[in-house]
Amino acid sequence: MTGPGVIKRAQLISQLRDATPWDVLVIGGGATGLGIALDAAARGYRTALIEARDFASGTSSRSTKLVHGGVRYLAQGNVKLVREALAERALLLANAPELVHPLEFVVPCYRPLEREVMRIGLGLYDALAGHRGVGATRWLSREATLAQLPGVRAEGLRGGVAYWDGQFDDARLAIALMRTAVGLGATVVNYVRVESIDAGEDRIRQVVAVDEETGERLELRAKAVFNATGVWVDAVRRLADPDAHQLVTISRGSHIVLDHRFLPGERGLMIPKTADGRVLFGIPWHGRLIVGTTDVPVDGPAWDPRPAESEIEFILETARGYLATRPSRGDVLAAFAGLRPLFSPGAHGATRTISREHAIVIEHGNLLTVTGGKWTTYRRMALDALAQATRKGLLDARPCTTESLRLSVDPALERAHRVAEEIAARGETRGIESYLQASVSREQARRPDDLLVRRLRAGLLQEGLLERLRPAAAAALATK
């Protein structure tokens, strides 16, 4: 679909000042919140979304960059989640082909019968996708594995298994969701923070928000209020009820970025079992190699989580067992981490055992907290959330149309982004100015990190690039 051109913040803030109650008010501008706003706007509901920082500035821009069913979840026996995610993978490949594409992975096998076991498991993974599969799983001989996955360790290699999944640019997909929602009439604004929630006996009467750029207080009322704030959902719930019990357990997933020379081919690497029983991926992305992720419980939410040195070393040590050139700490170009909100009331212990399925909790009559889940299933989470609001009588029933809704991706803007990305990855600035200015006017970038970390991805790929590119970002922002 054709999305909006220039998006004017002043106009969006003016719309928030309107005292008319919204049908849908979404708090949180990550994958979940943007998905709800998009679905609601597509159904014709009068919709607003507010985000305290930038769109996808939390977990939604810090993922492993995979649109997938979840091989690990299949090993855990969660067939329902895998089947649902594989169906959503197919829809994303169809509805955002500029940002989501198939990627073949190779599993190198070193232990007796490992190849046979993996072939059976990945064959089942394919079978669950059915006609929506993106490529067939296949056996690989030792020689074929070395050819298909250059850079893999040859010593002890018995062969491999190749299978297909999806890859995407998470932050840019979030921007596409935002632009699509705005194009459908939603009021979607970043840097607007919830300050207080006035909860009556049977409904949320008012949400008071603050424009972080001007300090203006905005009083918002809505038929249905969706709390889609990721690891902050409990903090938002406690604005309505200070004694609200905990719904989520938080886990940190960390990644490292290496030079592409460690795995120079076009395919990804899947390590089927780490020392802590997880799956680890090595993924080619924007000319680098991303390796991750971990699963470490943390005490609470943070705006800018950082990987622990122990996590970085764990990833490196695991990768050394599979790469011909063993990476050292000095080879790490950058490291980043995201926090997962896992729906687990009263849960204790290892976070890797907690389900990745989503949950919807309704409180105060019209406050719907949507939590858990994964990027791949954002659309299904939105569908379920609006269905709950309809069943509760908060919204009139209207059909969901997002299954076949093409997301707003401007081809010219994406071409400019790819060129700017290549230039920025080299630490250069000449040639990226026009794209940065377009991001300010058309993608709601408001601050340097919005431009350099989430519109461009340079700040994520190599430490030091961020500072070198800040002057160019400042110049673009001066035009807003």
Side-chain angles (χ1 to χ4, degrees):
M1 66 166 290
T2 301
V6 173
I7 301 175
K8 297 181 179 178
R9 179 184 175 81
Q11 197 172 75
L12 297 174
I13 294 294
S14 176
Q15 291 166 9
L16 290 180
R17 294 191 191 106
D18 189 338
T20 306
W22 301 89
D23 293 326
V24 169
L25 172 62
V26 182
I27 305 170
T32 304
L34 289 166
I36 294 170
L38 171 56
D39 192 340
R43 299 186 198 208
Y45 296 127
R46 187 167 180 266
T47 302
L49 179 148
I50 54 177
E51 160 59 42
R53 294 204 169 189
D54 186 28
F55 305 114
S57 57
T59 306
S60 296
S61 62
R62 302 162 185 257
S63 76
T64 313
K65 322 306 178 194
L66 294 180
V67 173
H68 63 145
V71 174
R72 182 166 66 94
Y73 311 138
L74 183 60
Q76 293 172 349
N78 196 336
V79 174
K80 174 181 176 292
L81 176 60
V82 174
R83 182 183 286 115
E84 180 181 275
L86 288 171
E88 293 301 316
R89 179 188 70 179
L91 295 180
L92 271 167
L93 285 163
N95 293 330
E98 304 88 348
L99 299 174
V100 185
H101 60 87
L103 178 67
E104 190 173 31
F105 285 84
V106 173
V107 186
C109 299
Y110 295 89
R111 293 183 290 271
L113 299 179
E114 182 179 23
R115 191 167 68 129
E116 289 74 13
V117 170
M118 291 304 305
R119 179 65 182 84
I120 293 169
L122 291 169
L124 177 57
Y125 190 65
D126 271 357
L128 289 173
H131 70 281
R132 290 178 163 176
V134 294
T137 295
R138 58 198 177 100
W139 297 95
L140 294 176
S141 66
R142 182 180 186 277
E143 292 71 24
T145 303
L146 291 170
Q148 298 288 318
L149 199 64
V152 73
R153 178 170 66 88
E155 181 185 357
L157 181 67
R158 294 170 178 262
V161 179
Y163 75 101
W164 289 84
D165 237 325
Q167 183 181 38
F168 76 138
D169 188 318
D170 48 10
R172 291 209 57 76
L173 185 61
I175 298 304
L177 294 176
M178 177 274 291
R179 284 178 48 79
T180 310
V182 171
L184 290 168
T187 298
V188 182
V189 194
N190 52 2
Y191 294 104
V192 175
R193 169 182 54 84
V194 173
E195 181 180 75
S196 63
I197 297 177
D198 180 8
E201 289 185 6
D202 60 351
R203 69 184 293 102
I204 299 298
R205 291 188 290 248
Q206 181 174 265
V207 174
V208 177
V210 176
D211 180 352
E212 294 280 48
E213 296 196 356
T214 65
E216 179 182 359
R217 297 174 80 251
L218 301 158
E219 298 177 351
L220 309 171
R221 293 177 292 147
K223 296 175 184 177
V225 180
F226 293 88
N227 174 14
T229 53
V231 295
W232 301 95
V233 292
D234 287 329
V236 170
R237 291 173 58 244
R238 286 169 187 147
L239 292 175
D241 176 9
D243 298 321
H245 63 283
Q246 180 175 317
L247 286 182
V248 300
T249 297
I250 301 173
S251 103
R252 183 173 61 231
S254 295
H255 305 77
I256 63 171
V257 182
L258 299 173
D259 191 280
H260 192 229
R261 66 183 173 85
F262 284 97
L263 206 66
E266 298 179 353
R267 293 170 179 80
L269 161 70
M270 196 266 269
I271 297 173
K273 190 171 183 179
T274 63
D276 64 349
R278 289 181 49 76
V279 168
L280 202 74
F281 294 97
I283 301 168
W285 197 71
H286 287 296
R288 303 285 197 277
L289 176 67
I290 291 179
V291 188
T293 179
T294 59
D295 197 330
V296 178
V298 295
D299 293 333
W303 285 115
D304 190 19
R306 299 288 183 177
E309 279 298 323
S310 58
E311 291 175 273
I312 293 174
E313 183 52 42
F314 174 83
I315 296 172
L316 283 169
E317 184 57 33
T318 304
R320 288 174 192 133
Y322 286 80
L323 299 179
T325 302
R326 293 164 57 88
S328 67
R329 182 64 178 88
D331 293 313
V332 177
L333 301 175
F336 63 93
L339 300 180
R340 307 180 186 92
L342 306 177
F343 180 67
S344 53
H348 301 281
T351 51
R352 65 178 179 274
T353 65
I354 299 174
S355 173
R356 269 47 176 177
E357 292 185 78
H358 65 271
I360 300 163
V361 177
I362 304 177
E363 299 167 300
H364 310 290
N366 64 337
L367 176 64
L368 297 90
T369 293
V370 187
T371 190
K374 55 205 291 284
W375 233 123
T376 306
T377 57
Y378 84 89
R379 191 200 69 88
R380 184 55 185 265
M381 294 169 69
L383 188 156
D384 289 350
L386 289 168
Q388 290 284 354
T390 301
R391 291 190 196 103
K392 189 75 174 174
L394 303 174
L395 301 170
D396 59 298
R398 300 179 188 180
C400 175
T401 62
T402 56
E403 186 168 340
S404 58
L405 178 64
R406 282 289 294 262
L407 299 186
S408 172
V409 180
D410 184 320
L413 197 59
E414 282 307 309
R415 285 194 296 271
H417 167 260
R418 286 193 291 273
V419 171
E421 192 77 69
E422 292 172 3
I423 296 170
R426 300 193 296 266
E428 302 171 9
T429 59
R430 188 169 183 175
I432 70 172
E433 300 90 343
S434 61
Y435 170 71
L436 294 179
Q437 290 167 7
S439 285
V440 172
S441 65
R442 303 178 68 178
E443 298 182 339
Q444 294 207 64
R446 307 296 300 175
R447 300 183 182 181
D449 279 12
D450 302 349
L451 286 170
L452 303 178
V453 179
R454 286 173 292 280
R455 305 310 185 277
L456 286 180
R457 309 311 306 275
L460 195 73
L461 292 171
Q462 186 169 332
E463 293 177 4
L465 277 183
L466 204 59
E467 295 310 313
R468 275 186 280 176
L469 297 171
R470 278 192 187 281
L477 290 166
T479 65
K480 72 181 181 183

